[in-house]
Amino acid sequence: PSTVSTAAAKKHDPETEMADVREANAARMAQRHEELKAMHASMQGGQEEKRKQTDLAMTLPRSAPWNWEEMNFDDESQGGLSLKEWEDLDLQAVAIMGVQKFVQQRPILVSVWVIGLLIASLAGGIPVDSASQEAYSMMRNRSEAIDTVEIRRAFEELQRSEATYDAVRGFWSCNETCVRARDRVAMSKAELVQASHRRDDTLSEARREVGIWSPVGVQDVRNSFWSAWRAGKDFAARLSWWDAVFMTVGQDEPVQQVILRMVMKYTLNLTLGLVSCFCYFMYSLYTLIVSYGASFMSGLAFFLLAFVAGISVLSAYLGAMYGVVGTGYMVYMKQAAIKQAIEGDASRGHAELEDRRARGRTKVSCPV
């Protein structure tokens, strides 16, 4: 009985009940604290994700205005430079600094480029003896005779055979006369191919007499390079003509912007044409080396030197072209910035004058 009464007394003890309440409140507070910590962590994660999305949206390029004369140069997201920076821009200093930085950062590449230009401009080939030169001249004249006489005669015979075959053949069938005419066409084609092979073999024998390192071989490589160069420029001219035909021009687009667009299109087309024709030149260079009968190591050395010389000339031409276009673009942007600054000063002066006039009209004068 005493034990039961002691437990009942503890149960109804106010201090014990208060301790239980405090423990329950502490447990609830701890649980609430954990919930608040989890909510705070989730909110921080959401804010971080939102901040990342905002930074990504700020880094994405904004669409440029359609009319460059309407570009706000004070907004660096459009002009790239502020209005004051465009006005104070020294194009000559920027160009010199860019060239110096490029040379300092890539000395080996610049050295190879200079060597390639020297090879392209000064290389003349290794002289050969008079006997080899005479043998080459004789075999070259023979190949030209084959080209002039045999190939021309075979080509004319092929044209006559094809004309006869086109006249006698039927639409759905071919009779005996048509079959004979078709056989003559095939024989004429075979004769033309044989004459071409004889011409190529004779020319290859003449080239082997002097070699690819001779002045003759170097001149043939030069002729092949400039022939591919002219083909690339003709390709760019044709492509630019079609671009000009199908180009769309806005009503409010200024003439300067249209001209600059055409210049940029021609620049890109010329780059495409010259690079593609340079690749074709490298293939023709390989066929020339094989035709001159050079050994593997000799042909590889000549191929690498010719590649360095050709790519140096190509990079120099494209670099100068892009430099001129970029300089023209920067000059245009600088003049537009200066024009906008002058118009801005005039508009601000006019606004200040109107403001002073308005204040003068509203000012109350003394009646005395």
Side-chain angles (χ1 to χ4, degrees):
S2 61
T3 305
V4 174
S5 62
T6 303
K10 288 182 178 180
K11 181 176 180 181
H12 295 286
D13 187 6
E15 295 182 357
T16 304
E17 292 180 357
M18 290 297 296
D20 293 338
V21 171
R22 285 194 295 269
E23 290 179 359
N25 290 335
R28 285 197 303 270
M29 291 296 294
Q31 182 179 1
R32 181 60 179 170
H33 183 66
E34 293 295 333
E35 293 177 355
L36 290 174
K37 286 176 64 177
M39 185 181 300
H40 180 69
S42 63
M43 291 176 63
Q44 289 291 334
Q47 292 179 359
E48 184 69 21
E49 183 67 24
K50 185 177 180 180
R51 186 182 63 80
K52 291 182 179 179
Q53 293 178 359
T54 304
D55 295 341
L56 179 61
M58 292 177 64
T59 56
L60 288 176
R62 300 180 182 179
S63 59
W66 172 255
N67 192 337
W68 290 351
E69 292 186 350
E70 298 176 357
M71 180 181 292
N72 183 12
F73 291 92
D74 295 328
D75 187 3
E76 296 187 0
S77 64
Q78 292 185 4
L81 295 176
S82 63
L83 184 62
K84 183 63 176 175
E85 290 172 335
W86 274 111
E87 288 181 343
D88 298 337
L89 185 62
D90 189 356
L91 299 180
Q92 184 178 0
V94 171
I96 295 175
M97 183 178 63
V99 172
Q100 290 178 351
K101 185 177 180 181
F102 184 84
V103 173
Q104 291 174 359
Q105 292 180 352
R106 300 170 179 84
I108 299 178
L109 182 62
V110 173
S111 301
V112 173
W113 175 70
V114 173
I115 293 173
L117 290 179
L118 292 176
I119 293 174
S121 58
L122 301 178
I126 301 175
V128 296
D129 55 1
S130 58
S132 299
Q133 185 68 33
E134 185 178 356
Y136 169 78
S137 300
M138 182 178 63
M139 293 182 180
R140 183 62 182 264
N141 293 333
R142 183 180 175 184
S143 66
E144 291 178 356
I146 295 174
D147 191 9
T148 305
V149 179
E150 296 185 13
I151 293 181
R152 179 179 295 180
R153 184 174 61 247
F155 183 73
E156 292 175 354
E157 181 64 25
L158 176 61
Q159 287 182 333
R160 288 194 296 268
S161 301
E162 288 180 345
T164 304
Y165 174 65
D166 292 338
V168 299
R169 69 176 179 177
F171 187 80
W172 296 106
S173 62
C174 188
N175 54 18
E176 185 177 355
T177 304
C178 175
V179 172
R180 288 197 298 268
R182 186 176 59 189
D183 293 339
R184 283 195 295 270
V185 170
M187 292 174 61
S188 300
K189 288 182 179 179
E191 184 179 356
L192 180 61
V193 170
Q194 291 177 2
S196 300
H197 286 331
R198 287 196 298 271
R199 188 267 315 274
D200 295 339
D201 293 341
T202 304
L203 185 59
S204 180
E205 290 178 5
R207 288 172 172 172
R208 289 192 181 96
E209 293 292 334
V210 292
I212 190 63
W213 294 92
S214 64
V216 177
V218 173
Q219 187 60 38
D220 283 346
V221 173
R222 276 202 175 97
N223 295 336
S224 178
F225 177 80
W226 292 118
S227 177
W229 188 277
R230 288 189 296 271
K233 293 180 69 175
D234 294 341
F235 170 80
R238 291 193 300 269
L239 200 60
S240 300
W241 188 85
W242 286 110
D243 288 339
V245 170
F246 293 102
M247 184 179 67
T248 57
V249 180
Q251 294 181 354
D252 299 333
E253 190 173 5
V255 179
Q256 299 90 337
Q257 184 173 341
V258 176
I259 295 175
L260 189 57
R261 284 175 58 192
M262 286 302 305
V263 170
M264 290 300 299
K265 284 182 178 293
Y266 178 74
T267 303
L268 296 177
N269 294 334
L270 187 59
T271 303
L272 178 62
L274 292 180
V275 171
S276 59
C277 289
F278 179 76
C279 296
Y280 173 76
F281 160 71
M282 298 309 299
Y283 172 75
S284 64
L285 175 63
Y286 167 76
T287 59
L288 279 174
I289 292 174
V290 173
S291 177
Y292 273 91
S295 61
F296 176 76
M297 295 303 299
S298 177
L300 180 61
F302 189 90
F303 185 87
L304 293 178
L305 289 177
F307 172 77
V308 171
I311 200 69
S312 299
V313 174
L314 179 62
S315 60
Y317 184 84
L318 293 180
M321 179 179 64
Y322 279 104
V324 171
V325 173
T327 303
Y329 171 75
M330 295 182 71
V331 169
Y332 174 77
M333 295 293 288
K334 184 175 182 179
Q335 295 298 325
I338 294 174
K339 179 182 177 181
Q340 184 173 348
I342 295 173
E343 293 177 354
D345 293 339
S347 61
R348 284 193 296 269
H350 182 70
E352 291 176 358
L353 181 60
E354 291 294 332
D355 187 34
R356 287 196 298 268
R357 289 177 178 176
R359 287 199 302 267
R361 286 195 298 267
T362 58
K363 184 177 180 181
V364 178
S365 60
C366 180
V368 179

